[in-house]
Amino acid sequence: MNQKFRILLVDDDPDFIDINRTILESNGYEVDAAYTSDDALEKLKSLHFDLLIVDLMMEDRDSGFTIAYAVRENEKLQSLPILMLTSAEQKTGFKFQLSKDQEWMKVDDFAAKPLRPAELILRVKALLNKDS
Amino acid sequence: MNTNGEKILVVDDEEIIRIGCQRILEEYDCSVQLAENGRIGLEKLKSERFDLVLIDLMMPELGGLELLEEICKIDRNIVSIIITGFATIETAVEAIKKGAYDYLSKPFTPDEFRAKVGRGLEKRHLLLEAERLRKEAAKNLIECTKQKSRTQTIINSMAEGVIATSLDGTIGLVNPSAIKLLRIKNEKIVGNRIEGLLGIPELEGKIKSISKTFVPATFQFSTAENRFLQANITPIVSEESSVGTVTVLSDITEEKKIEEAKSNFVSLVSHELKAPLGAIEGYLTLILDGLTAGNAEKEHDIIQKSRDRAAELLDLINDLLDLSRTDRKKSLKAIKKIDMAQLLRDVCDFYQNEAKEKSILLDLTVADQLPAVQGSEEDLARLFSNLISNAIKYTPKGGVVNINADKKRSLLAVFVKDTGIGISKDEVGKIFDQFFRASSAVQQKIGGTGLGLSIARKIAEDHNGYIEVDSELGKGTTFTVYLTTTEDR
């Protein structure tokens, strides 16, 4: 890995940021974190990132989607890969499926929380390779 | 002539006639009494029941025709036979008009007498039988009407809707509850085919299909007003063949709401439990997968944070237990008269140390005696513990938490006032919802389960009371608990 990929983690639970940051950093990624959607959008506009990992449910029920929309609406950020994490499938009893909901979700990958380190790295690698 | 113990009265002023009649009748199974004039005859008729009376028309004191009139007043079914010495058509017709059955003209032969008396007795039997039948019919009719209206009243008073249909789907009966439950506007639906009349095509279809299959079915559906109804459709079977269906409708909206609230609660709880457990699992995985690379400081931090999340889980579970305890039936709780001043002193004493650690002044200003409240001491202590511990938790260092109480009519008002972070106007309406956390609390990273206030409100309501809240963001919050006191106003 010649050049360090930069990843933005967005979650309102500091412990999940801490856990995912540790996993990603020990795999050689550079990590920044945001705890609110406003904070995340601010950072996305001013800094460069190669991947966005965002929690679906933050302070509001669907702020993860709000971020994903904002990213896709923005010309500069349109191609930024998004990995959405959520525990929503248990909460709503509805299993999200990427293929079916991709149009609406506007994200590149979707995973249920918590994600084991190996699984997270696998998904991150896949998204970053697709991009390059 | 046939006799069977009948009672016969002979009223005649001529002794020969009286004796003659008695002689003839002695041969038969009947009892005979004699009266020598109309007055005596009438007295006998008033004191005894006779089947047949033989009356002489011409008598001193009370004439035959007058006696006849009196007899009709006593019993219309007594058969009277007139004995007349001057049998003219006129007197006979007059006597028969007045209610006599027949007449005998003097002199008469024993055979004539037997024939007339025999026919008279037959008439008497017919009259009695007719009377009996009439009474029976009237009685049956009354019973029948009573029975029908009783059944009708029962069906019309039922809270459940009842609809009966014949096999071809013609509506035979609809009670007022069914009309109300289905909001049927068309008043004349009885006698018409069911299609389109009930407003629920699926229900109409089910009823019709059960007229064919004869298999009872239960079916739930929602109405346009968002109410849930349950229909139990049963075939009406009469002598081994089905003749129609009866549908009983009940409103199950409340049950559905409770069911939904329960399932929502379970998924909310699962979600709340999942977050801290997920974090703990994630942290443990970091260590196990060697991602901390033996960094002792990092590992210590992870263990610390895991313990905090475990503590959060314990708080949550304790609150859930409290919630289920307040849900328990009232009869299982120890209900007694509670000294509210003492209860508030105890709760404040318990939180004094916690307040001191944050340099918060926890001040209780209540009278020595407060109106007593009937209730569960454990629950009321939980209510004020939740409010006071919240006040301390959400009040920054150096603040004040003040508790005082006041009697308002038949209510005791307890105020828990803090100088804390406050709740925004948008959110103040949601704070009693289960698992709701105000954003002011979340932003300042003040932990909590979001259950404490919902438990407090439930306890207040269980004690015929309620909680009011008044809050200003950044300034503080006052919770006022109103409880019904046992004392007279």
Side-chain angles (χ1 to χ4, degrees):
Chain A
M1 211 175 289
N2 303 328
Q3 152 229 13
K4 267 197 174 184
F5 285 113
R6 280 177 50 80
I7 299 172
L8 179 64
L9 281 174
V10 188
D11 200 318
D12 64 343
D13 189 326
D15 287 330
F16 280 100
I17 291 211
D18 192 10
I19 292 161
N20 288 335
R21 182 201 288 273
T22 309
I23 298 168
L24 293 167
E25 281 178 352
S26 59
N27 278 273
Y29 297 104
E30 203 173 301
V31 176
D32 200 349
Y35 299 92
T36 66
S37 41
D38 288 347
D39 192 13
L41 290 171
E42 202 54 49
K43 286 193 166 165
L44 283 166
K45 279 172 193 163
S46 53
L47 302 163
H48 167 78
F49 294 100
D50 300 294
L51 175 66
L52 173 64
I53 300 179
V54 60
D55 182 29
L56 171 65
M57 304 226 181
M58 299 206 297
E59 63 267 45
D60 288 322
R61 291 199 128 214
D62 59 348
S63 44
F65 285 138
T66 314
I67 295 172
Y69 265 108
V71 168
R72 289 293 174 258
E73 295 292 297
N74 187 313
E75 267 181 52
K76 282 183 198 164
L77 298 172
Q78 260 173 0
S79 56
L80 176 67
I82 304 174
L83 167 57
M84 191 167 284
L85 298 180
T86 185
S87 48
E89 59 170 308
Q90 261 75 16
K91 187 167 182 172
T92 56
F94 177 75
K95 241 182 153 62
F96 289 108
Q97 283 173 321
L98 190 61
S99 54
K100 224 194 254 172
D101 301 308
Q102 200 158 22
E103 183 74 27
W104 177 61
M105 301 269 247
K106 296 179 186 293
V107 299
D108 300 273
D109 197 2
F110 207 82
K113 233 162 95 168
L115 213 51
R116 284 286 165 85
E119 179 74 16
L120 177 65
I121 295 303
L122 213 66
R123 285 174 186 255
V124 167
K125 272 187 181 155
L127 286 172
L128 289 171
N129 286 340
K130 195 168 75 181
D131 192 41
S132 55
Chain B
M1 74 184 214
N2 292 317
T3 52
N4 187 21
E6 288 87 354
K7 288 174 83 174
I8 296 171
L9 176 67
V10 181
V11 190
D12 201 315
D13 57 341
E14 278 183 71
E15 199 183 1
I16 291 182
I17 300 284
R18 295 200 301 271
I19 302 295
C21 291
Q22 194 173 26
R23 288 260 166 87
I24 301 168
L25 293 169
E26 267 171 358
E27 297 165 24
Y28 297 94
D29 173 24
C30 62
S31 68
V32 181
Q33 294 210 27
L34 304 174
E36 59 261 39
N37 61 43
R39 190 183 48 77
I40 296 170
L42 184 59
E43 275 167 23
K44 284 187 182 282
L45 281 160
K46 279 182 177 167
S47 60
E48 273 181 69
R49 189 170 175 272
F50 288 92
D51 294 297
L52 189 139
V53 192
L54 289 145
I55 306 165
D56 184 19
L57 264 189
M58 299 298 284
M59 285 185 294
E61 290 200 44
L62 188 68
L65 288 177
E66 288 87 31
L67 181 60
L68 206 52
E69 279 175 23
E70 293 298 316
I71 288 171
C72 284
K73 286 182 201 160
I74 296 167
D75 181 352
R76 276 194 128 351
N77 293 326
I78 293 179
V79 173
S80 308
I81 296 173
I82 301 298
I83 302 168
T84 173
F86 46 103
T88 64
I89 297 294
E90 270 167 52
T91 46
V93 165
E94 199 182 342
I96 285 169
K97 267 187 191 164
K98 293 208 154 132
Y101 170 65
D102 207 348
Y103 66 92
L104 267 170
S105 41
K106 283 193 247 184
F108 47 81
T109 64
D111 279 345
E112 266 180 299
F113 180 81
R114 283 190 202 99
K116 298 245 164 173
V117 170
R119 268 179 44 199
L121 288 177
E122 270 169 34
K123 173 72 180 174
R124 167 72 174 168
H125 290 142
L126 286 173
L127 284 172
L128 287 180
E129 181 65 9
E131 174 76 10
R132 190 185 66 76
L133 287 173
R134 201 163 40 239
K135 277 186 180 161
E136 198 164 276
K139 201 175 128 197
N140 280 345
L141 196 65
I142 289 166
E143 270 307 302
C144 206
T145 322
K146 264 190 196 163
Q147 196 63 43
K148 201 180 162 195
S149 74
R150 193 180 298 158
T151 315
Q152 190 75 38
T153 308
I154 292 169
I155 291 173
N156 285 349
S157 315
M158 284 171 69
E160 285 80 13
V162 178
I163 301 167
T165 65
S166 58
L167 275 188
D168 66 351
T170 304
I171 297 175
L173 180 151
V174 178
N175 75 347
S177 287
I179 288 174
K180 224 173 101 189
L181 286 170
L182 294 172
R183 309 279 192 267
I184 295 172
K185 302 249 164 28
N186 189 348
E187 279 172 19
K188 285 181 184 150
I189 70 167
V190 171
N192 289 319
R193 295 285 292 261
I194 198 166
E195 290 89 348
L197 289 183
L198 302 184
I200 312 279
E202 219 182 332
L203 177 63
E204 294 162 4
K206 289 261 177 196
I207 291 175
K208 278 172 69 190
S209 79
I210 283 152
S211 313
K212 294 188 182 76
T213 60
F214 311 143
V215 180
T218 299
F219 158 60
Q220 295 185 354
F221 57 96
S222 59
T223 68
E225 293 94 356
N226 261 333
R227 300 199 69 76
F228 281 94
L229 302 183
Q230 178 167 297
N232 281 308
I233 312 166
T234 322
I236 306 171
V237 179
S238 158
E239 311 200 341
E240 288 172 18
S241 74
S242 182
V243 296
T245 67
V246 61
T247 303
V248 177
L249 294 166
S250 31
D251 190 331
I252 54 163
T253 311
E254 288 310 306
E255 285 87 337
K256 279 274 169 195
K257 273 189 191 160
I258 291 168
E259 207 175 278
E260 204 181 304
K262 270 188 181 163
S263 105
N264 274 345
F265 182 73
V266 169
S267 60
L268 275 173
V269 167
S270 313
H271 185 74
E272 297 297 322
L273 291 171
K274 205 181 164 190
L277 269 177
I280 293 167
E281 199 250 17
Y283 277 133
L284 293 176
T285 308
L286 290 184
I287 295 177
L288 287 173
D289 284 13
L291 293 170
T292 51
N295 180 338
E297 200 185 321
K298 177 76 188 164
E299 281 175 0
H300 183 268
D301 181 49
I302 284 173
I303 291 165
Q304 180 86 51
K305 283 174 174 166
S306 300
R307 194 186 61 181
D308 289 349
R309 297 307 291 255
E312 182 190 316
L313 263 181
L314 275 179
D315 282 349
L316 180 60
I317 288 163
N318 281 333
D319 276 356
L320 287 172
L321 286 173
D322 272 339
L323 201 61
S324 85
R325 236 194 309 273
T326 56
D327 267 344
R328 261 195 323 205
K329 280 202 174 128
K330 268 189 187 151
S331 57
L332 293 173
K333 290 176 186 167
I335 301 297
K336 58 177 186 182
K337 225 177 183 181
I338 292 156
D339 178 348
M340 287 305 293
Q342 188 58 45
L343 184 134
L344 291 171
R345 278 194 291 273
D346 290 346
V347 175
C348 283
D349 283 349
F350 184 83
Y351 286 103
Q352 226 29 278
N353 277 337
E354 210 173 304
K356 260 184 207 136
E357 277 171 24
K358 274 184 85 178
S359 313
I360 287 171
L361 174 67
L362 176 57
D363 178 39
L364 176 72
T365 5
V366 296
D368 287 347
Q369 284 298 318
L370 288 175
V373 169
Q374 191 85 14
S376 154
E377 191 166 22
E378 188 191 341
D379 280 359
L380 288 172
R382 166 58 49 205
L383 192 174
F384 290 106
S385 293
N386 284 5
L387 292 182
I388 292 167
S389 66
N390 268 2
I392 295 170
K393 192 158 76 174
Y394 297 117
T395 298
K397 280 188 178 177
V400 178
V401 174
N402 184 272
I403 293 119
N404 55 66
D406 201 1
K407 198 180 155 186
K408 291 197 170 175
R409 291 187 302 278
S410 64
L411 295 174
L412 172 70
V414 180
F415 307 89
V416 179
K417 186 175 190 301
D418 66 45
T419 57
I421 59 174
I423 306 151
S424 75
K425 280 203 167 61
D426 298 343
E427 292 184 332
V428 83
K430 300 183 198 164
I431 56 168
F432 292 106
D433 293 353
Q434 284 168 347
F435 300 112
F436 179 79
R437 305 253 10 248
S439 51
S440 51
V442 176
Q443 274 159 21
Q444 305 205 14
K445 301 202 191 324
I446 301 170
T449 60
L451 284 175
L453 287 178
S454 71
I455 292 170
R457 183 176 65 175
K458 176 129 203 337
I459 294 170
E461 285 171 356
D462 284 350
H463 288 80
N464 300 318
Y466 58 99
I467 304 182
E468 275 181 2
V469 59
D470 183 28
S471 187
E472 196 177 335
L473 205 57
K475 290 266 173 72
T477 305
T478 303
F479 283 96
T480 311
V481 182
Y482 294 93
L483 297 168
T484 306
T485 65
T486 54
E487 282 164 37
D488 296 337
R489 54 198 72 182

